Amino acid sequence: MIILSPDVYGKIGSGIDNAANAVKATMGPLGRNIAFDPKMDVPYIINSGREIVKHINFEDKAVMVGVDVVKQAMEKAFWTGGDGSVATAVLVQSIWNEAVHMDASGADAMAMMRGIRKASEVALEAMREKADRVEGEDDIKALAKCAAGGRDDIANIVTEVYDHIGPNGYVTVEDSQMAETHITYFKGVRWEKGFLGHFEEESIVLENPYVLLVNRIVNKFEELAPVLKEVRDKNRALLIIARELKDDVINALHYVRDKAGVDVLAVTAPGYGDVRTSNMKYFGIMFGATVFDDMMQDIQETMTLADCGRTEKVVMNKKNIVIQGIPNPDDPLVEARRQELYRDLEHIKNEDERYRIEQMLTPLAGDTAEVKVGGVMEMEMFERKYLVDNAIHNTYSALKAGFLPGGGKAFILAVPAVREFAQTLSGDERLGANILADALTRPAFQIAENAGIDGKSTVEKLLAADDKYTGLNVLTEKYENLREGGVLDSMAVIESALVTAVSSVSTAISVAACVVARDPEEDDYM
């Protein structure tokens, strides 16, 4: 069955509206909970928009296209910026509905989207200029509390963690088998590379794995086969850190993991060129492993389990890897290298060179924390774990990119610049820029509405405020300094929400037809 425009816009729009309406009720500290059935024994009642949207399904496959637009936008925003997924859904709905309405009135959809994309760059620049750096414990606690729905207990956990591991450390969040929440600190390494290949799981854990370091391109599965056989015979796990693995090798590793029961994961080594070579050299020292490189000819004949290093635990998802409990984290050579890189960062001003040094320093930073979240009931633990994870992501991204006032005020700060920019455009591009300016007010509008406060008047007051931190704290129902009131959002989260929303709508609005496979049982053969 083929659905043509404009009918296809109605179907996609229905999916977008249903998904966005379900999740935006959770927005802000006074947002509502949503109940859903995860096909387990007990229904869940949670405040996680990103988790809720995963369970929205319609029999109409064309409507599901719209649901998937929101679902994928929220997922991408989470993995790119740390969260901001509900704000992403609100922006997607606002931009889509107004653009489609104007398209029906005769506007050129492609010209509008050009205006929206151009205006989004102006908005991002305006917000970046206003972002501040995290300066101390109060900022960290405020960022965590905001992302945790105003929960002081969770904000205290996050503050304690970052006080211990510092801004370069990394945190993993897992289920606890007990009612209490426990924090364990490890010496370890992390970098922003996820597992190679496609996995159903959001994250995968390896317990007490061997670590194989290969600073070369692995072209054939046979090169790894001897070590994999030894790992299987010992019933152990294996982490492969490599410069590159060809697709056939990645597919073969998936096969032996799924069919042969070998607990193996592969990840790309951090950095490029000499940065990667340096990282792999110090990994060899920390893990107690041989680094196989291009100088070694036939590694298939020489590589054995004795060449592998060891570690206590690996936690990996599609974006990050965290390795905990490495055997030699403070080897004198490694520590000397750390201090050398820290000294270089203090003196070098060139951004490209600073980035290169950071690429070498990050995998050697050394401190990680594991937060095991408990709860009396499974449902309580599920929600608490989501809030802890959300707070960790928001705080970590703010430590890297800075922060802005929360409560939707960050988006409001960009509206004047976008309105001014719109005047430099003409025709439907100007219309698109103004559509984005209106959409930027919707997160603040929704947060106020969820708190039982008139959203329209809230937006008007925020636009009229002179100071960037003056905004509505819905918990006190007062307009106050949001930094002093602890209402803050990560710049990375704000940026990810806007970029992802604009990208998602740009793709969806270009759809001219929707081809939907019919159910064979519905065919009429008469």
Side-chain angles (χ1 to χ4, degrees):
M1 179 172 64
I2 301 177
I3 304 170
L4 298 173
S5 180
D7 292 339
V8 67
Y9 280 173
K11 293 282 190 179
I12 293 175
S14 175
I16 288 174
D17 279 340
N18 276 286
N21 289 340
V23 301
K24 70 185 185 183
T26 68
M27 197 172 188
L30 297 180
R32 307 298 193 270
N33 292 330
I34 303 293
F36 72 94
D37 180 7
K39 296 184 178 178
M40 299 179 185
D41 294 334
V42 191
Y44 281 173
I45 301 174
I46 62 170
N47 191 258
S48 165
R50 176 172 161 264
E51 189 64 36
I52 292 157
V53 78
K54 294 177 185 177
H55 300 272
I56 298 175
N57 290 289
F58 290 92
E59 290 185 5
D60 191 322
K61 295 176 182 177
V63 173
M64 278 305 298
V65 172
V67 173
D68 286 337
V69 168
V70 176
K71 190 181 298 187
Q72 291 172 21
M74 294 178 71
E75 193 70 9
K76 185 175 181 180
F78 176 81
W79 288 110
T80 305
D83 193 38
S85 51
V86 178
T88 305
V90 170
L91 292 170
V92 166
Q93 183 184 33
S94 178
I95 297 169
W96 170 271
N97 285 342
E98 196 59 30
V100 168
H101 174 71
M102 291 302 174
D103 177 74
S105 301
D108 181 346
M110 295 301 100
M112 283 191 293
M113 287 313 304
R114 284 196 300 273
I116 289 170
R117 285 193 293 270
K118 290 176 182 178
S120 69
E121 291 298 324
V122 173
L124 287 172
E125 188 58 34
M127 290 189 288
R128 288 182 190 128
E129 289 177 356
K130 292 178 171 63
D132 291 314
R133 309 301 298 181
V134 176
E135 292 182 355
E137 186 176 296
D138 289 344
D139 286 342
I140 290 175
K141 188 170 184 177
L143 286 157
K145 184 175 179 179
C146 225
R151 294 272 298 267
D152 280 312
D153 57 331
I154 292 173
N156 290 335
I157 290 172
V158 176
T159 305
E160 177 189 335
V161 165
Y162 279 106
D163 182 59
H164 192 283
I165 66 175
N168 293 313
Y170 197 73
V171 189
T172 61
V173 182
E174 298 185 19
D175 297 342
S176 173
Q177 301 301 314
M178 296 176 285
E180 298 81 15
T181 295
H182 296 276
I183 305 170
T184 307
Y185 298 101
F186 299 90
K187 286 291 185 180
V189 297
R190 63 158 294 275
W191 65 95
E192 291 186 355
K193 294 283 186 179
F195 36 55
L196 297 175
H198 176 72
F199 289 87
E200 294 292 331
E201 303 96 321
E202 282 199 355
S203 65
I204 299 176
V205 176
L206 298 180
E207 298 285 356
N208 297 310
Y210 286 97
V211 180
L212 177 63
L213 303 178
V214 187
N215 190 25
R216 59 188 286 172
I217 299 173
V218 181
N219 292 294
K220 299 182 294 183
F221 173 74
E222 287 75 17
E223 297 177 51
L224 305 174
V227 169
L228 287 167
K229 183 179 184 301
E230 288 188 76
V231 169
R232 184 192 62 187
D233 291 344
K234 288 182 174 291
N235 195 27
R236 297 291 297 277
L238 175 67
L239 172 67
I240 301 171
I241 304 174
R243 180 200 304 176
E244 181 185 341
L245 286 85
K246 294 298 186 181
D247 288 344
D248 288 347
V249 178
I250 295 171
N251 293 336
L253 289 174
H254 270 273
Y255 181 84
V256 299
R257 179 180 174 86
D258 295 338
K259 304 299 183 183
V262 180
D263 197 7
V264 58
L265 288 176
V267 66
T268 306
Y272 299 92
D274 62 335
V275 173
R276 178 181 55 231
T277 299
S278 173
N279 288 336
M280 291 292 268
K281 171 187 173 181
Y282 289 99
F283 281 177
I285 296 170
M286 290 192 292
F287 293 117
T290 300
V291 181
F292 289 89
D293 57 25
D294 291 321
M295 302 299 293
M296 301 178 178
Q297 297 301 315
D298 193 354
I299 63 173
Q300 181 179 342
E301 298 297 325
T302 59
M303 185 188 294
T304 69
L305 209 55
D307 297 304
C308 295
R310 301 283 290 275
T311 193
E312 292 180 14
K313 189 174 186 177
V314 174
V315 182
M316 201 184 321
N317 56 40
K318 65 180 72 174
K319 184 180 177 183
N320 294 295
I321 176 171
V322 180
I323 305 175
Q324 299 173 340
I326 57 179
N328 306 307
D330 296 319
D331 183 280
L333 289 174
V334 176
E335 183 58 30
R337 179 60 168 166
R338 281 194 201 112
Q339 296 307 317
E340 177 189 1
L341 293 172
Y342 278 126
R343 286 194 298 272
D344 288 345
L345 275 180
E346 290 178 5
H347 302 295
I348 292 175
K349 304 301 180 185
N350 181 277
E351 287 299 320
D352 291 338
E353 186 61 21
R354 286 183 64 85
Y355 177 77
R356 177 178 170 276
I357 293 172
E358 287 169 353
Q359 288 288 295
M360 289 188 279
L361 179 60
T362 299
L364 306 180
D367 290 309
T368 65
E370 179 184 76
V371 181
K372 288 199 169 184
V373 181
V376 177
M377 299 175 62
E378 183 181 9
M379 184 163 48
E380 177 193 355
M381 183 193 70
F382 186 89
E383 181 183 14
R384 186 176 170 86
K385 180 184 175 185
Y386 160 74
L387 292 173
V388 170
D389 200 35
N390 205 35
I392 291 289
H393 275 96
N394 192 53
T395 305
Y396 179 75
S397 64
L399 286 165
K400 301 300 181 185
F403 65 87
L404 287 164
K409 178 65 187 283
F411 294 109
I412 295 282
L413 290 173
V415 171
V418 173
R419 293 283 191 211
E420 183 178 346
F421 173 72
Q423 298 307 307
T424 68
L425 303 175
S426 60
D428 292 335
E429 285 196 4
R430 177 184 289 187
L431 185 59
N434 283 317
I435 286 172
L436 183 72
D438 290 336
L440 292 171
T441 68
R442 300 307 293 181
F445 177 95
Q446 191 62 49
I447 290 170
E449 289 284 325
N450 287 349
I453 301 168
D454 182 64
K456 184 178 179 180
S457 64
T458 297
V459 168
E460 290 172 352
K461 291 177 182 177
L462 292 178
L463 286 169
D466 293 329
D467 182 71
K468 74 175 180 180
Y469 278 110
T470 298
L472 174 64
N473 184 340
V474 296
L475 293 176
T476 63
E477 298 186 15
K478 294 179 181 177
Y479 289 86
E480 58 188 43
N481 185 301
L482 295 180
R483 184 168 188 176
E484 293 175 0
V487 183
L488 305 176
D489 274 333
S490 161
M491 177 61 214
V493 169
I494 297 296
E495 180 171 344
S496 175
L498 179 56
V499 170
T500 306
V502 170
S503 173
S504 299
V505 177
S506 295
T507 302
I509 209 161
S510 67
V511 173
C514 185
V515 180
V516 179
R518 290 179 63 89
D519 189 329
E521 296 180 3
E522 295 177 0
D523 288 337
D524 186 357
Y525 294 97
M526 298 299 292

